[in-house]
């Protein structure tokens, strides 16, 4: 598929693309598991005597999270165990001079690549390869390593342009994410395959379900998408109350597809039998049968958690995309955490999708080692599950075929 660090050798000047995009609060960049994951790739490059030039992005122009990468350099250095120098330039004279001054085993981080006007436009790899950004940096290095799987669904200059001009390799995060996130299609499992689907984006979940048919034996639904499927099944839930804007527009966009999926896969789609809500500042639960929605429903209930747990315990593989409730509030974390605990205690192959679900693992003290793979990707994870092409992965594959 693509070349990896095992094919790279040693002692080169390496341009490596990471995804260190992080939450920013009051101008302070928050530490997160992306630094830990990418540090392994950078550390391996350092240990092999490479001169390491790091590219990454943070936020988008016009947003509060669009800040410099000077803090990212310090955070990355803590995990790599070696200093990470920083230059506030992407591909101008100061950046080029800093790249040329690098010694063996040293690391340099360039400024936020989205501060270059060449980065963000969605163009073909050939067009990006001809940009001033790529033409300036490519001659200064020997090869390119892409470790930014979580940004691989973007056709940006730093992701698809350099493989057109340089020998290109996948970093360890790219390699492991690709292998885990395509395993539904690429692996055979000795037993049932279960997918836990929740979260707020109904279209993403429906796209995943539409793309995966014979591969999945059980779909366990919760979150907003779970309510929408309950609505299609005839229950009086799955619509907005208290001036909310989460359900009705998604129902209008997806009702027909939801009904089709229920009709086609009724025996494999499992819906909540009870839901939780807030009552007197505490958690309360109600069965789904014969109850009308009068207030926000924030989690699946105890009977649903038990039912889902039994299915998971009998599974050979479990894939998770989306949370089953508002787990950030501990009162409504039971569904998401309960499912994760069932997976952790089951001898199965498991992939936990990026974004909210992986944050729940850290928030509630679960160990990543309990799962086969915890993804740091969001959009790229969904694309992989739905079989869509990831431009950055395809760029690596094409580079491998061409050389």
């Amino acid at each position: 598929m693509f070349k990896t660090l095992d094919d790279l050798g040693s002692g080169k000047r390496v341009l490596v693309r990471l995804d260190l995009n992080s939450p920013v609060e009051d101008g302070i960049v928050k530490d997160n598991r992306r630094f830990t994951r990418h540090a392994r790739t950078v550390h391996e490059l350092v240990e092999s005597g490479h001169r390491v030039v790091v590219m990454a992005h943070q936020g988008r122009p016009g947003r509060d999270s669009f800040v410099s990468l000077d803090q990212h350099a310090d955070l990355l250095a803590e995990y790599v165990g070696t200093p990470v120098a920083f230059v506030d330039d992407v591909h101008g004279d100061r950046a080029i001079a800093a790249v040329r001054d690098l010694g063996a085993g040293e690391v340099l981080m360039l400024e936020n690549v989205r501060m270059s006007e060449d980065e963000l436009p969605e163009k073909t790899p050939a067009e990006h390869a001809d940009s001033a950004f790529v033409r300036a940096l490519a001659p200064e290095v020997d090869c390119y390593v892409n470790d930014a799987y979580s940004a691989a669904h973007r056709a940006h200059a730093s992701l698809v342009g350099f493989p057109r001009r340089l020998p290109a390799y996948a970093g360890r995060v790219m390699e492991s994410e690709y292998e885990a996130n395509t395993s539904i299609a690429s692996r055979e499992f000795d037993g049932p395959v279960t997918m836990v689907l929740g979260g707020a984006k109904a279209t993403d979940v429906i796209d995943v379900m539409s793309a995966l048919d014979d591969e999945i034996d059980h779909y366990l639904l919760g979150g907003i998408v779970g309510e929408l499927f309950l609505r299609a099944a005839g229950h009086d839930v799955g619509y907005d109350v208290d001036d909310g804007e989460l359900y009705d527009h998604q129902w209008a966009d997806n009702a027909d597809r939801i009904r089709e999926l229920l009709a086609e896969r009724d025996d494999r789609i499992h819906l909540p039998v009870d839901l939780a809500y807030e009552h007197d500042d505490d958690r309360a639960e109600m069965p789904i049968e014969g109850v009308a929605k009068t207030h926000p429903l924030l989690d699946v209930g105890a009977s649903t958690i038990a039912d889902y747990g039994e299915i998971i315990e009998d599974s050979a593989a479990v894939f998770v995309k989306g949370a089953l409730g508002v787990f950030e509030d501990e009162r409504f974390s039971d569904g998401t955490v309960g499912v994760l605990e069932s997976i952790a205690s089951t001898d199965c192959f498991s992939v936990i999708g990026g974004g909210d679900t992986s944050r729940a693992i850290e928030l509630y003290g679960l160990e990543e080692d309990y799962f086969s793979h915890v993804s740091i990707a969001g959009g790229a994870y969904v694309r992989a599950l739905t079989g869509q092409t990831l431009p950055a992965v395809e760029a690596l594959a094409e580079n491998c075929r061409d050389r």
Side-chain angles (χ1 to χ4, degrees):
M1 180 61 186
F2 42 60
K3 291 176 287 187
T4 71
L5 298 191
D6 296 328
D7 305 303
L8 180 54
S10 61
K12 299 182 183 298
R13 198 176 300 269
V14 180
L15 183 65
V16 56
R17 176 59 156 96
L18 311 181
D19 183 359
L20 302 176
N21 195 40
S22 304
V24 177
E25 296 180 10
D26 298 324
I28 305 299
V29 175
K30 298 298 181 180
D31 196 354
N32 64 79
R33 60 167 42 88
R34 286 181 173 176
F35 289 96
T36 310
R37 296 282 183 85
H38 287 303
R40 299 171 189 168
T41 293
V42 176
H43 179 76
E44 184 173 342
L45 292 170
V46 168
E47 288 293 294
S48 296
H50 297 296
R51 295 162 169 82
V52 183
V53 182
V54 175
M55 296 187 297
H57 74 274
Q58 174 60 53
R60 277 183 175 269
R63 298 181 183 176
D64 292 341
S65 60
F66 186 58
V67 299
S68 171
L69 297 190
D70 55 341
Q71 297 178 63
H72 298 69
D74 293 336
L75 287 167
L76 183 62
E78 294 179 16
Y79 290 106
V80 177
T82 194
V84 176
F86 172 74
V87 58
D88 60 346
D89 186 20
V90 181
H91 55 84
D93 291 343
R94 283 177 291 115
I96 300 302
V99 170
R100 291 175 178 174
D101 286 344
L102 270 181
E106 293 183 344
V107 184
L108 169 71
M109 182 175 290
L110 304 177
E111 183 56 284
N112 187 342
V113 292
R114 291 184 174 176
M115 292 183 180
S116 168
E117 63 181 16
D118 291 334
E119 171 66 2
L120 284 173
E122 295 277 345
K123 296 181 178 180
T124 67
E127 290 172 322
H128 276 310
D130 198 42
S131 67
F133 177 13
V134 175
R135 285 189 288 107
L137 277 181
E140 304 299 330
V141 298
D142 300 311
C143 58
Y144 168 80
V145 171
N146 192 343
D147 209 33
Y149 180 86
S150 49
H153 56 303
R154 307 294 188 189
H156 296 164
S158 64
L159 296 162
V160 302
F162 289 100
R164 299 289 294 224
R165 289 186 173 270
L166 293 165
Y169 305 83
R172 296 307 183 196
V173 172
M174 175 68 76
E175 183 182 4
S176 63
E177 289 273 9
Y178 177 82
E179 180 179 346
N181 297 342
T182 58
S183 57
I184 289 180
S186 63
R187 292 182 57 159
E188 292 187 3
F189 299 101
D190 188 20
V193 177
T194 295
M195 175 158 279
V196 181
L197 295 166
K201 298 178 180 178
T203 301
D204 282 355
V205 170
I206 292 165
D207 286 346
V208 169
M209 294 177 71
S210 298
L212 300 172
D213 187 2
D214 295 338
E215 298 92 341
I216 306 297
D217 298 288
H218 301 286
Y219 298 94
L220 311 183
L221 270 57
I224 289 172
V225 70
E227 271 198 65
L228 293 176
F229 271 76
L230 284 168
R231 179 173 174 175
H235 298 282
D236 198 11
V237 297
Y239 54 86
D240 291 314
V241 295
D242 297 344
D243 298 322
E245 297 181 352
L246 293 172
Y247 293 89
D248 291 338
H249 74 280
Q250 296 202 74
W251 173 257
D253 292 341
N254 296 290
D256 290 343
R257 295 180 68 194
I258 291 173
R259 291 192 183 102
E260 289 172 6
L261 286 167
L262 276 175
E264 293 169 359
R265 309 179 197 180
D266 180 60
D267 58 331
R268 290 185 283 157
I269 296 175
H270 303 267
L271 302 178
V273 296
D274 53 356
L275 295 167
Y277 60 96
E278 183 178 19
H279 179 69
D280 292 338
D281 294 327
D282 204 352
R283 177 189 176 101
E285 298 186 0
M286 66 178 192
I288 198 63
E289 294 294 340
V291 176
K293 181 177 182 179
T294 58
H295 38 255
L297 301 170
L298 305 172
D299 195 12
V300 297
S303 295
T304 302
I305 297 167
D307 291 347
Y308 286 4
E310 290 181 6
I311 294 170
I312 289 168
E313 289 167 10
D314 192 41
S315 299
V318 182
F319 297 81
V320 180
K321 194 276 176 224
L324 299 188
V326 186
F327 70 86
E328 295 88 348
D329 185 331
E330 189 173 0
R331 297 170 299 172
F332 303 107
S333 64
D334 292 9
T336 302
V337 175
V339 161
L340 290 172
E341 289 176 340
S342 293
I343 297 169
S345 62
T346 299
D347 183 17
C348 66
F349 178 83
S350 56
V351 178
I352 311 302
D356 285 346
T357 323
S358 61
R359 276 202 302 121
I361 291 173
E362 184 175 0
L363 188 60
Y364 291 97
L366 297 170
E367 296 290 336
E368 282 195 23
D369 292 344
Y370 294 159
F371 310 96
S372 303
H373 183 74
V374 178
S375 178
I376 58 174
Y381 178 61
V382 172
R383 287 240 188 155
L385 292 177
T386 55
Q388 297 180 62
T389 299
L390 299 176
V393 173
E394 184 58 28
L396 291 176
E398 288 183 5
N399 183 277
C400 185
R401 291 193 291 266
D402 292 344
R403 293 175 185 268

